[in-house]
Amino acid sequence: MEELVIVIAKALVDHPEDVTVKTLEKDRLVVYELSVHPEDVGKIIGKQGRIAKALRTVVASAAVKMDKRVTVDIIS
């Protein structure tokens, strides 16, 4: 799942070498903290948050088989 977030994020940014993902797990919740270059934060969020919402939707859909709640937080 972490690799999915990295692949999608690297495809969207100008500085793919600065893309990192940190995983935090609590009970039935998994949080992926996505960190990108400061210039690329807008590209990850998108207009009115559309890209960020789409990224979260894809990850949540892929996580259905894990029987856990999954979310993606964008850290600048």
Side-chain angles (χ1 to χ4, degrees):
M1 193 65 61
E2 184 176 333
E3 291 179 24
L4 175 64
V5 176
I6 291 172
V7 168
I8 293 172
K10 283 186 177 184
L12 295 171
V13 298
D14 290 334
H15 304 280
E17 66 277 358
D18 292 338
V19 173
T20 58
V21 176
K22 182 179 173 185
T23 305
L24 304 173
E25 293 190 38
K26 301 176 187 175
D27 297 328
R28 294 176 45 98
L29 175 67
V30 180
V31 178
Y32 295 104
E33 291 184 345
L34 174 62
S35 178
V36 296
H37 191 277
E39 293 177 7
D40 293 328
V41 173
K43 292 180 182 179
I44 290 292
I45 295 173
K47 288 185 180 179
Q48 298 180 355
R50 289 184 184 145
I51 293 175
K53 184 178 178 183
L55 177 63
R56 289 181 179 117
T57 302
V58 168
V59 172
S61 298
V64 169
K65 293 181 181 178
M66 291 175 44
D67 194 33
K68 291 186 178 185
R69 285 189 46 223
V70 176
T71 187
V72 177
D73 289 341
I74 300 168
I75 310 295
S76 58

Short mmCIF file of all heavy atoms in Angstrom, two decimals:
data_model
loop_
_atom_site.label_atom_id
_atom_site.label_comp_id
_atom_site.label_asym_id
_atom_site.label_seq_id
_atom_site.Cartn_x
_atom_site.Cartn_y
_atom_site.Cartn_z
N MET A 1 0.83 -1.19 0.00
CA MET A 1 0.00 0.00 0.00
C MET A 1 0.88 1.26 0.00
O MET A 1 0.57 2.22 -0.69
CB MET A 1 -0.90 -0.03 1.23
CG MET A 1 -1.99 0.96 1.19
SD MET A 1 -3.20 0.70 -0.09
CE MET A 1 -3.81 -0.87 0.35
N GLU A 2 1.93 1.21 0.79
CA GLU A 2 2.85 2.35 0.86
C GLU A 2 3.47 2.62 -0.51
O GLU A 2 3.61 3.77 -0.92
CB GLU A 2 3.94 2.05 1.90
CG GLU A 2 4.90 3.19 2.13
CD GLU A 2 5.88 2.88 3.23
OE1 GLU A 2 5.57 2.08 4.15
OE2 GLU A 2 6.98 3.45 3.18
N GLU A 3 3.79 1.55 -1.23
CA GLU A 3 4.37 1.70 -2.56
C GLU A 3 3.38 2.34 -3.53
O GLU A 3 3.78 3.10 -4.42
CB GLU A 3 4.83 0.35 -3.09
CG GLU A 3 6.02 -0.20 -2.35
CD GLU A 3 6.45 -1.55 -2.87
OE1 GLU A 3 6.16 -1.86 -4.05
OE2 GLU A 3 7.08 -2.29 -2.11
N LEU A 4 2.11 2.04 -3.38
CA LEU A 4 1.08 2.64 -4.23
C LEU A 4 1.07 4.16 -4.05
O LEU A 4 1.03 4.91 -5.02
CB LEU A 4 -0.29 2.06 -3.89
CG LEU A 4 -1.49 2.67 -4.61
CD1 LEU A 4 -1.39 2.42 -6.12
CD2 LEU A 4 -2.78 2.11 -4.06
N VAL A 5 1.13 4.62 -2.81
CA VAL A 5 1.14 6.06 -2.52
C VAL A 5 2.39 6.69 -3.14
O VAL A 5 2.31 7.76 -3.76
CB VAL A 5 1.09 6.31 -1.00
CG1 VAL A 5 1.21 7.80 -0.70
CG2 VAL A 5 -0.19 5.76 -0.41
N ILE A 6 3.53 6.03 -3.00
CA ILE A 6 4.79 6.58 -3.53
C ILE A 6 4.74 6.68 -5.06
O ILE A 6 5.12 7.70 -5.63
CB ILE A 6 5.98 5.72 -3.08
CG1 ILE A 6 6.19 5.87 -1.58
CG2 ILE A 6 7.25 6.09 -3.83
CD1 ILE A 6 7.22 4.92 -0.99
N VAL A 7 4.27 5.63 -5.72
CA VAL A 7 4.22 5.63 -7.19
C VAL A 7 3.31 6.74 -7.71
O VAL A 7 3.66 7.47 -8.64
CB VAL A 7 3.76 4.25 -7.71
CG1 VAL A 7 3.42 4.30 -9.19
CG2 VAL A 7 4.82 3.21 -7.44
N ILE A 8 2.14 6.89 -7.11
CA ILE A 8 1.21 7.93 -7.55
C ILE A 8 1.80 9.31 -7.30
O ILE A 8 1.74 10.19 -8.16
CB ILE A 8 -0.16 7.77 -6.85
CG1 ILE A 8 -0.83 6.49 -7.31
CG2 ILE A 8 -1.05 8.97 -7.14
CD1 ILE A 8 -2.08 6.13 -6.55
N ALA A 9 2.37 9.53 -6.12
CA ALA A 9 2.92 10.84 -5.78
C ALA A 9 4.09 11.20 -6.69
O ALA A 9 4.20 12.34 -7.16
CB ALA A 9 3.35 10.86 -4.32
N LYS A 10 4.98 10.25 -6.95
CA LYS A 10 6.14 10.53 -7.81
C LYS A 10 5.71 10.91 -9.23
O LYS A 10 6.39 11.67 -9.90
CB LYS A 10 7.09 9.34 -7.84
CG LYS A 10 7.93 9.24 -6.59
CD LYS A 10 8.97 8.14 -6.72
CE LYS A 10 9.86 8.11 -5.48
NZ LYS A 10 10.93 7.10 -5.61
N ALA A 11 4.60 10.37 -9.69
CA ALA A 11 4.11 10.69 -11.02
C ALA A 11 3.55 12.11 -11.11
O ALA A 11 3.49 12.68 -12.19
CB ALA A 11 3.05 9.69 -11.43
N LEU A 12 3.19 12.69 -9.98
CA LEU A 12 2.55 14.01 -9.97
C LEU A 12 3.50 15.17 -9.73
O LEU A 12 3.16 16.31 -10.05
CB LEU A 12 1.47 14.04 -8.88
CG LEU A 12 0.28 13.11 -9.08
CD1 LEU A 12 -0.58 13.09 -7.84
CD2 LEU A 12 -0.54 13.54 -10.28
N VAL A 13 4.66 14.94 -9.16
CA VAL A 13 5.53 16.03 -8.70
C VAL A 13 6.71 16.28 -9.64
O VAL A 13 7.05 15.46 -10.49
CB VAL A 13 6.06 15.74 -7.27
CG1 VAL A 13 4.91 15.66 -6.29
CG2 VAL A 13 6.89 14.47 -7.24
N ASP A 14 7.36 17.44 -9.44
CA ASP A 14 8.56 17.79 -10.20
C ASP A 14 9.83 17.28 -9.54
O ASP A 14 10.86 17.18 -10.18
CB ASP A 14 8.66 19.31 -10.35
CG ASP A 14 7.60 19.87 -11.28
OD1 ASP A 14 7.14 19.13 -12.17
OD2 ASP A 14 7.25 21.06 -11.13
N HIS A 15 9.78 17.01 -8.24
CA HIS A 15 10.94 16.54 -7.47
C HIS A 15 10.63 15.16 -6.88
O HIS A 15 10.43 15.03 -5.67
CB HIS A 15 11.28 17.52 -6.34
CG HIS A 15 11.52 18.91 -6.82
ND1 HIS A 15 12.71 19.30 -7.38
CD2 HIS A 15 10.74 20.01 -6.84
CE1 HIS A 15 12.65 20.57 -7.71
NE2 HIS A 15 11.45 21.03 -7.39
N PRO A 16 10.61 14.11 -7.70
CA PRO A 16 10.23 12.78 -7.20
C PRO A 16 11.21 12.21 -6.18
O PRO A 16 10.83 11.35 -5.39
CB PRO A 16 10.18 11.92 -8.46
CG PRO A 16 10.99 12.64 -9.47
CD PRO A 16 10.88 14.10 -9.13
N GLU A 17 12.44 12.69 -6.18
CA GLU A 17 13.42 12.18 -5.22
C GLU A 17 13.10 12.62 -3.79
O GLU A 17 13.61 12.03 -2.83
CB GLU A 17 14.84 12.64 -5.61
CG GLU A 17 15.08 14.14 -5.51
CD GLU A 17 14.61 14.94 -6.73
OE1 GLU A 17 14.11 14.35 -7.70
OE2 GLU A 17 14.73 16.17 -6.69
N ASP A 18 12.26 13.63 -3.62
CA ASP A 18 11.91 14.13 -2.28
C ASP A 18 10.62 13.52 -1.73
O ASP A 18 10.15 13.92 -0.67
CB ASP A 18 11.78 15.65 -2.31
CG ASP A 18 13.11 16.34 -2.53
OD1 ASP A 18 14.16 15.71 -2.26
OD2 ASP A 18 13.12 17.50 -2.98
N VAL A 19 10.02 12.58 -2.44
CA VAL A 19 8.78 11.95 -1.99
C VAL A 19 9.11 10.87 -0.96
O VAL A 19 9.90 9.96 -1.22
CB VAL A 19 8.01 11.32 -3.17
CG1 VAL A 19 6.82 10.52 -2.68
CG2 VAL A 19 7.58 12.39 -4.14
N THR A 20 8.53 11.00 0.24
CA THR A 20 8.69 9.98 1.28
C THR A 20 7.33 9.69 1.90
O THR A 20 6.46 10.56 1.96
CB THR A 20 9.67 10.42 2.39
OG1 THR A 20 9.19 11.63 2.98
CG2 THR A 20 11.06 10.65 1.84
N VAL A 21 7.18 8.46 2.37
CA VAL A 21 5.95 8.05 3.03
C VAL A 21 6.30 7.37 4.34
O VAL A 21 7.13 6.47 4.38
CB VAL A 21 5.12 7.09 2.16
CG1 VAL A 21 3.90 6.60 2.90
CG2 VAL A 21 4.71 7.77 0.86
N LYS A 22 5.67 7.83 5.40
CA LYS A 22 5.85 7.24 6.73
C LYS A 22 4.53 6.57 7.12
O LYS A 22 3.46 7.15 6.95
CB LYS A 22 6.22 8.34 7.73
CG LYS A 22 6.48 7.86 9.11
CD LYS A 22 6.87 9.04 10.00
CE LYS A 22 6.96 8.62 11.44
NZ LYS A 22 7.22 9.77 12.32
N THR A 23 4.61 5.35 7.64
CA THR A 23 3.41 4.60 7.99
C THR A 23 3.22 4.56 9.50
O THR A 23 4.14 4.21 10.23
CB THR A 23 3.52 3.16 7.46
OG1 THR A 23 3.78 3.20 6.06
CG2 THR A 23 2.24 2.39 7.71
N LEU A 24 2.04 4.92 9.94
CA LEU A 24 1.67 4.85 11.36
C LEU A 24 0.47 3.93 11.49
O LEU A 24 -0.52 4.09 10.78
CB LEU A 24 1.31 6.24 11.89
CG LEU A 24 2.36 7.34 11.73
CD1 LEU A 24 1.78 8.68 12.15
CD2 LEU A 24 3.57 7.02 12.57
N GLU A 25 0.56 2.95 12.40
CA GLU A 25 -0.55 2.01 12.59
C GLU A 25 -1.08 2.09 14.01
O GLU A 25 -0.32 2.08 14.97
CB GLU A 25 -0.08 0.59 12.30
CG GLU A 25 0.26 0.37 10.85
CD GLU A 25 0.47 -1.09 10.52
OE1 GLU A 25 -0.27 -1.94 11.07
OE2 GLU A 25 1.36 -1.37 9.72
N LYS A 26 -2.41 2.17 14.11
CA LYS A 26 -3.10 2.17 15.40
C LYS A 26 -4.32 1.27 15.25
O LYS A 26 -5.17 1.52 14.41
CB LYS A 26 -3.57 3.58 15.77
CG LYS A 26 -2.48 4.61 15.86
CD LYS A 26 -3.08 5.97 16.13
CE LYS A 26 -2.03 7.05 16.05
NZ LYS A 26 -2.61 8.39 16.18
N ASP A 27 -4.39 0.23 16.05
CA ASP A 27 -5.52 -0.70 16.02
C ASP A 27 -5.95 -1.05 14.60
O ASP A 27 -5.29 -1.78 13.92
CB ASP A 27 -6.70 -0.17 16.84
CG ASP A 27 -6.33 -0.02 18.32
OD1 ASP A 27 -5.51 -0.83 18.79
OD2 ASP A 27 -6.87 0.88 18.97
N ARG A 28 -7.08 -0.49 14.16
CA ARG A 28 -7.60 -0.79 12.82
C ARG A 28 -7.44 0.40 11.87
O ARG A 28 -8.10 0.48 10.85
CB ARG A 28 -9.07 -1.17 12.92
CG ARG A 28 -9.29 -2.47 13.67
CD ARG A 28 -10.76 -2.78 13.83
NE ARG A 28 -11.54 -2.58 12.64
CZ ARG A 28 -11.89 -3.56 11.80
NH1 ARG A 28 -11.52 -4.79 12.03
NH2 ARG A 28 -12.63 -3.30 10.74
N LEU A 29 -6.56 1.34 12.21
CA LEU A 29 -6.33 2.52 11.39
C LEU A 29 -4.88 2.57 10.94
O LEU A 29 -3.96 2.40 11.74
CB LEU A 29 -6.66 3.80 12.17
CG LEU A 29 -6.36 5.12 11.47
CD1 LEU A 29 -7.27 5.31 10.27
CD2 LEU A 29 -6.51 6.28 12.43
N VAL A 30 -4.68 2.78 9.65
CA VAL A 30 -3.33 2.95 9.09
C VAL A 30 -3.28 4.34 8.46
O VAL A 30 -4.13 4.69 7.64
CB VAL A 30 -3.02 1.88 8.02
CG1 VAL A 30 -1.63 2.09 7.46
CG2 VAL A 30 -3.17 0.49 8.60
N VAL A 31 -2.28 5.14 8.89
CA VAL A 31 -2.11 6.48 8.36
C VAL A 31 -0.80 6.54 7.58
O VAL A 31 0.25 6.18 8.10
CB VAL A 31 -2.08 7.53 9.51
CG1 VAL A 31 -1.85 8.92 8.95
CG2 VAL A 31 -3.36 7.48 10.32
N TYR A 32 -0.89 6.98 6.33
CA TYR A 32 0.30 7.17 5.51
C TYR A 32 0.57 8.67 5.46
O TYR A 32 -0.27 9.42 4.94
CB TYR A 32 0.10 6.61 4.11
CG TYR A 32 -0.08 5.12 4.09
CD1 TYR A 32 -1.32 4.54 3.91
CD2 TYR A 32 1.01 4.28 4.29
CE1 TYR A 32 -1.49 3.17 3.91
CE2 TYR A 32 0.85 2.90 4.30
CZ TYR A 32 -0.39 2.36 4.11
OH TYR A 32 -0.54 1.00 4.12
N GLU A 33 1.70 9.09 6.00
CA GLU A 33 2.08 10.51 5.98
C GLU A 33 2.96 10.75 4.76
O GLU A 33 4.10 10.30 4.72
CB GLU A 33 2.81 10.89 7.26
CG GLU A 33 1.91 10.87 8.48
CD GLU A 33 2.62 11.36 9.73
OE1 GLU A 33 3.87 11.45 9.73
OE2 GLU A 33 1.92 11.63 10.70
N LEU A 34 2.43 11.46 3.80
CA LEU A 34 3.13 11.74 2.54
C LEU A 34 3.84 13.08 2.66
O LEU A 34 3.22 14.10 2.96
CB LEU A 34 2.12 11.77 1.39
CG LEU A 34 2.63 12.20 0.02
CD1 LEU A 34 3.70 11.23 -0.48
CD2 LEU A 34 1.49 12.29 -0.96
N SER A 35 5.14 13.05 2.42
CA SER A 35 5.94 14.27 2.47
C SER A 35 6.56 14.50 1.10
O SER A 35 7.12 13.58 0.50
CB SER A 35 7.04 14.12 3.53
OG SER A 35 7.85 15.27 3.55
N VAL A 36 6.43 15.73 0.60
CA VAL A 36 6.97 16.09 -0.71
C VAL A 36 7.75 17.39 -0.61
O VAL A 36 7.71 18.07 0.41
CB VAL A 36 5.86 16.23 -1.78
CG1 VAL A 36 5.14 14.92 -2.00
CG2 VAL A 36 4.87 17.31 -1.40
N HIS A 37 8.45 17.73 -1.66
CA HIS A 37 9.19 18.99 -1.74
C HIS A 37 8.21 20.14 -1.57
O HIS A 37 7.08 20.07 -2.08
CB HIS A 37 9.90 19.07 -3.10
CG HIS A 37 10.90 20.16 -3.20
ND1 HIS A 37 10.55 21.45 -3.51
CD2 HIS A 37 12.24 20.15 -3.01
CE1 HIS A 37 11.63 22.20 -3.53
NE2 HIS A 37 12.68 21.43 -3.23
N PRO A 38 8.60 21.22 -0.88
CA PRO A 38 7.67 22.34 -0.65
C PRO A 38 7.05 22.92 -1.93
O PRO A 38 5.91 23.36 -1.91
CB PRO A 38 8.53 23.38 0.06
CG PRO A 38 9.60 22.59 0.73
CD PRO A 38 9.87 21.41 -0.16
N GLU A 39 7.77 22.88 -3.03
CA GLU A 39 7.22 23.41 -4.29
C GLU A 39 6.14 22.50 -4.87
O GLU A 39 5.36 22.93 -5.71
CB GLU A 39 8.34 23.59 -5.32
CG GLU A 39 9.34 24.65 -4.95
CD GLU A 39 10.48 24.75 -5.97
OE1 GLU A 39 10.40 24.07 -7.01
OE2 GLU A 39 11.43 25.49 -5.69
N ASP A 40 6.12 21.24 -4.46
CA ASP A 40 5.19 20.26 -5.02
C ASP A 40 3.93 20.05 -4.20
O ASP A 40 3.06 19.27 -4.60
CB ASP A 40 5.90 18.91 -5.18
CG ASP A 40 7.00 18.96 -6.24
OD1 ASP A 40 6.85 19.73 -7.20
OD2 ASP A 40 7.98 18.23 -6.09
N VAL A 41 3.80 20.72 -3.08
CA VAL A 41 2.63 20.51 -2.21
C VAL A 41 1.34 20.85 -2.96
O VAL A 41 0.36 20.12 -2.89
CB VAL A 41 2.75 21.33 -0.91
CG1 VAL A 41 1.47 21.26 -0.10
CG2 VAL A 41 3.92 20.83 -0.08
N GLY A 42 1.35 21.93 -3.71
CA GLY A 42 0.17 22.33 -4.47
C GLY A 42 -0.23 21.31 -5.52
O GLY A 42 -1.40 21.11 -5.80
N LYS A 43 0.76 20.65 -6.11
CA LYS A 43 0.47 19.65 -7.13
C LYS A 43 -0.15 18.40 -6.52
O LYS A 43 -0.98 17.75 -7.15
CB LYS A 43 1.74 19.29 -7.89
CG LYS A 43 2.23 20.43 -8.73
CD LYS A 43 3.48 20.09 -9.47
CE LYS A 43 3.90 21.33 -10.24
NZ LYS A 43 5.10 21.15 -10.99
N ILE A 44 0.24 18.05 -5.32
CA ILE A 44 -0.33 16.89 -4.63
C ILE A 44 -1.75 17.20 -4.14
O ILE A 44 -2.62 16.35 -4.20
CB ILE A 44 0.57 16.45 -3.45
CG1 ILE A 44 1.86 15.86 -3.98
CG2 ILE A 44 -0.13 15.48 -2.54
CD1 ILE A 44 1.70 14.54 -4.70
N ILE A 45 -1.97 18.41 -3.68
CA ILE A 45 -3.30 18.78 -3.18
C ILE A 45 -4.27 19.04 -4.34
O ILE A 45 -5.39 18.58 -4.32
CB ILE A 45 -3.21 20.02 -2.26
CG1 ILE A 45 -2.42 19.65 -1.01
CG2 ILE A 45 -4.60 20.53 -1.90
CD1 ILE A 45 -2.11 20.81 -0.11
N GLY A 46 -3.82 19.75 -5.37
CA GLY A 46 -4.66 20.03 -6.53
C GLY A 46 -5.66 21.14 -6.27
O GLY A 46 -5.80 21.63 -5.14
N LYS A 47 -6.35 21.53 -7.31
CA LYS A 47 -7.35 22.59 -7.17
C LYS A 47 -8.50 22.10 -6.30
O LYS A 47 -9.09 21.06 -6.57
CB LYS A 47 -7.89 23.00 -8.55
CG LYS A 47 -6.88 23.76 -9.37
CD LYS A 47 -7.50 24.24 -10.66
CE LYS A 47 -6.46 25.00 -11.45
NZ LYS A 47 -7.01 25.47 -12.72
N GLN A 48 -8.78 22.85 -5.28
CA GLN A 48 -9.85 22.55 -4.32
C GLN A 48 -9.69 21.16 -3.71
O GLN A 48 -10.67 20.54 -3.30
CB GLN A 48 -11.22 22.70 -4.97
CG GLN A 48 -11.50 24.11 -5.44
CD GLN A 48 -12.85 24.25 -6.09
OE1 GLN A 48 -13.57 23.28 -6.29
NE2 GLN A 48 -13.20 25.49 -6.41
N GLY A 49 -8.45 20.65 -3.66
CA GLY A 49 -8.18 19.37 -3.02
C GLY A 49 -8.61 18.15 -3.81
O GLY A 49 -8.69 17.05 -3.27
N ARG A 50 -8.83 18.31 -5.10
CA ARG A 50 -9.33 17.20 -5.91
C ARG A 50 -8.34 16.05 -6.03
O ARG A 50 -8.72 14.88 -5.96
CB ARG A 50 -9.73 17.70 -7.29
CG ARG A 50 -10.98 18.53 -7.27
CD ARG A 50 -11.39 18.92 -8.67
NE ARG A 50 -12.55 19.80 -8.59
CZ ARG A 50 -12.77 20.79 -9.42
NH1 ARG A 50 -11.93 21.04 -10.39
NH2 ARG A 50 -13.83 21.54 -9.28
N ILE A 51 -7.06 16.38 -6.25
CA ILE A 51 -6.06 15.32 -6.40
C ILE A 51 -5.86 14.59 -5.08
O ILE A 51 -5.76 13.37 -5.04
CB ILE A 51 -4.74 15.89 -6.96
CG1 ILE A 51 -4.98 16.37 -8.39
CG2 ILE A 51 -3.63 14.84 -6.92
CD1 ILE A 51 -3.80 17.06 -9.03
N ALA A 52 -5.79 15.33 -3.98
CA ALA A 52 -5.63 14.71 -2.66
C ALA A 52 -6.82 13.79 -2.37
O ALA A 52 -6.64 12.68 -1.86
CB ALA A 52 -5.50 15.78 -1.58
N LYS A 53 -8.01 14.23 -2.69
CA LYS A 53 -9.20 13.41 -2.46
C LYS A 53 -9.16 12.15 -3.31
O LYS A 53 -9.49 11.06 -2.84
CB LYS A 53 -10.46 14.22 -2.77
CG LYS A 53 -11.74 13.49 -2.48
CD LYS A 53 -12.95 14.35 -2.75
CE LYS A 53 -14.21 13.56 -2.50
NZ LYS A 53 -15.42 14.34 -2.80
N ALA A 54 -8.74 12.28 -4.57
CA ALA A 54 -8.64 11.12 -5.46
C ALA A 54 -7.59 10.14 -4.95
O ALA A 54 -7.81 8.92 -4.98
CB ALA A 54 -8.31 11.57 -6.87
N LEU A 55 -6.46 10.64 -4.48
CA LEU A 55 -5.41 9.79 -3.92
C LEU A 55 -5.94 9.01 -2.72
O LEU A 55 -5.73 7.81 -2.60
CB LEU A 55 -4.20 10.63 -3.53
CG LEU A 55 -3.04 9.91 -2.87
CD1 LEU A 55 -2.44 8.88 -3.80
CD2 LEU A 55 -1.98 10.91 -2.44
N ARG A 56 -6.65 9.70 -1.84
CA ARG A 56 -7.22 9.04 -0.66
C ARG A 56 -8.26 7.99 -1.07
O ARG A 56 -8.34 6.92 -0.45
CB ARG A 56 -7.85 10.08 0.27
CG ARG A 56 -6.81 10.94 0.94
CD ARG A 56 -7.45 11.96 1.88
NE ARG A 56 -6.41 12.75 2.52
CZ ARG A 56 -6.28 14.06 2.37
NH1 ARG A 56 -7.14 14.74 1.63
NH2 ARG A 56 -5.30 14.70 2.99
N THR A 57 -9.04 8.26 -2.10
CA THR A 57 -10.05 7.32 -2.56
C THR A 57 -9.41 6.06 -3.12
O THR A 57 -9.85 4.93 -2.82
CB THR A 57 -10.94 7.97 -3.63
OG1 THR A 57 -11.56 9.13 -3.06
CG2 THR A 57 -12.00 7.01 -4.12
N VAL A 58 -8.36 6.22 -3.92
CA VAL A 58 -7.66 5.07 -4.50
C VAL A 58 -7.07 4.20 -3.40
O VAL A 58 -7.19 2.97 -3.41
CB VAL A 58 -6.58 5.52 -5.50
CG1 VAL A 58 -5.67 4.38 -5.88
CG2 VAL A 58 -7.23 6.13 -6.72
N VAL A 59 -6.41 4.83 -2.43
CA VAL A 59 -5.78 4.08 -1.34
C VAL A 59 -6.84 3.39 -0.48
O VAL A 59 -6.67 2.22 -0.10
CB VAL A 59 -4.89 5.01 -0.49
CG1 VAL A 59 -4.39 4.31 0.75
CG2 VAL A 59 -3.72 5.51 -1.32
N ALA A 60 -7.93 4.06 -0.20
CA ALA A 60 -9.00 3.45 0.60
C ALA A 60 -9.63 2.27 -0.14
O ALA A 60 -9.94 1.25 0.48
CB ALA A 60 -10.06 4.50 0.94
N SER A 61 -9.78 2.39 -1.44
CA SER A 61 -10.34 1.29 -2.23
C SER A 61 -9.41 0.09 -2.25
O SER A 61 -9.85 -1.05 -2.18
CB SER A 61 -10.61 1.75 -3.66
OG SER A 61 -11.56 2.78 -3.66
N ALA A 62 -8.12 0.35 -2.36
CA ALA A 62 -7.14 -0.74 -2.38
C ALA A 62 -7.02 -1.41 -1.01
O ALA A 62 -6.62 -2.56 -0.91
CB ALA A 62 -5.79 -0.22 -2.82
N ALA A 63 -7.41 -0.71 0.04
CA ALA A 63 -7.27 -1.23 1.40
C ALA A 63 -8.48 -2.03 1.86
O ALA A 63 -8.47 -2.54 2.99
CB ALA A 63 -7.03 -0.07 2.36
N VAL A 64 -9.49 -2.17 1.05
CA VAL A 64 -10.69 -2.89 1.45
C VAL A 64 -10.36 -4.32 1.87
O VAL A 64 -10.91 -4.84 2.84
CB VAL A 64 -11.73 -2.88 0.30
CG1 VAL A 64 -12.87 -3.83 0.58
CG2 VAL A 64 -12.25 -1.48 0.09
N LYS A 65 -9.44 -4.96 1.18
CA LYS A 65 -9.07 -6.33 1.51
C LYS A 65 -8.31 -6.45 2.82
O LYS A 65 -8.25 -7.52 3.40
CB LYS A 65 -8.22 -6.92 0.39
CG LYS A 65 -8.97 -7.10 -0.90
CD LYS A 65 -8.10 -7.71 -1.96
CE LYS A 65 -8.85 -7.85 -3.25
NZ LYS A 65 -8.02 -8.41 -4.32
N MET A 66 -7.72 -5.35 3.30
CA MET A 66 -6.95 -5.38 4.54
C MET A 66 -7.83 -5.37 5.78
O MET A 66 -7.36 -5.61 6.88
CB MET A 66 -6.00 -4.17 4.60
CG MET A 66 -4.87 -4.23 3.60
SD MET A 66 -3.84 -2.75 3.59
CE MET A 66 -3.58 -2.40 5.32
N ASP A 67 -9.11 -5.03 5.62
CA ASP A 67 -10.04 -4.92 6.74
C ASP A 67 -9.57 -3.88 7.75
O ASP A 67 -9.67 -4.08 8.96
CB ASP A 67 -10.26 -6.28 7.41
CG ASP A 67 -11.46 -6.26 8.34
OD1 ASP A 67 -12.43 -5.54 8.02
OD2 ASP A 67 -11.44 -6.94 9.37
N LYS A 68 -9.00 -2.78 7.24
CA LYS A 68 -8.56 -1.67 8.09
C LYS A 68 -8.95 -0.38 7.41
O LYS A 68 -9.14 -0.31 6.20
CB LYS A 68 -7.03 -1.69 8.26
CG LYS A 68 -6.53 -2.83 9.08
CD LYS A 68 -5.04 -2.68 9.32
CE LYS A 68 -4.53 -3.80 10.20
NZ LYS A 68 -3.13 -3.62 10.54
N ARG A 69 -9.08 0.67 8.22
CA ARG A 69 -9.30 1.99 7.68
C ARG A 69 -7.95 2.59 7.32
O ARG A 69 -7.00 2.48 8.07
CB ARG A 69 -9.99 2.89 8.71
CG ARG A 69 -11.46 2.57 8.88
CD ARG A 69 -12.19 3.58 9.72
NE ARG A 69 -11.86 4.94 9.34
CZ ARG A 69 -11.61 5.92 10.22
NH1 ARG A 69 -11.64 5.69 11.51
NH2 ARG A 69 -11.33 7.12 9.79
N VAL A 70 -7.88 3.23 6.18
CA VAL A 70 -6.62 3.79 5.70
C VAL A 70 -6.85 5.24 5.30
O VAL A 70 -7.87 5.58 4.69
CB VAL A 70 -6.10 2.99 4.48
CG1 VAL A 70 -4.85 3.63 3.92
CG2 VAL A 70 -5.85 1.56 4.84
N THR A 71 -5.90 6.10 5.65
CA THR A 71 -5.98 7.49 5.26
C THR A 71 -4.59 7.98 4.86
O THR A 71 -3.59 7.40 5.26
CB THR A 71 -6.57 8.37 6.37
OG1 THR A 71 -6.78 9.69 5.88
CG2 THR A 71 -5.67 8.42 7.59
N VAL A 72 -4.56 9.05 4.08
CA VAL A 72 -3.30 9.65 3.63
C VAL A 72 -3.30 11.10 4.12
O VAL A 72 -4.21 11.86 3.82
CB VAL A 72 -3.18 9.61 2.09
CG1 VAL A 72 -1.91 10.31 1.65
CG2 VAL A 72 -3.24 8.20 1.58
N ASP A 73 -2.25 11.46 4.86
CA ASP A 73 -2.05 12.83 5.31
C ASP A 73 -0.90 13.42 4.51
O ASP A 73 0.14 12.77 4.34
CB ASP A 73 -1.71 12.88 6.80
CG ASP A 73 -2.90 12.54 7.68
OD1 ASP A 73 -4.05 12.62 7.18
OD2 ASP A 73 -2.69 12.22 8.85
N ILE A 74 -1.07 14.66 4.07
CA ILE A 74 -0.02 15.33 3.30
C ILE A 74 0.72 16.28 4.23
O ILE A 74 0.12 17.18 4.81
CB ILE A 74 -0.63 16.08 2.11
CG1 ILE A 74 -1.34 15.08 1.20
CG2 ILE A 74 0.45 16.85 1.35
CD1 ILE A 74 -2.22 15.70 0.16
N ILE A 75 2.02 16.02 4.38
CA ILE A 75 2.88 16.82 5.26
C ILE A 75 3.76 17.70 4.39
O ILE A 75 4.42 17.21 3.47
CB ILE A 75 3.78 15.90 6.13
CG1 ILE A 75 2.96 14.81 6.80
CG2 ILE A 75 4.58 16.71 7.11
CD1 ILE A 75 1.97 15.30 7.81
N SER A 76 3.77 18.98 4.68
CA SER A 76 4.61 19.88 3.86
C SER A 76 6.00 20.02 4.43
O SER A 76 6.30 19.67 5.52
CB SER A 76 3.98 21.27 3.78
OG SER A 76 3.79 21.81 5.06
#
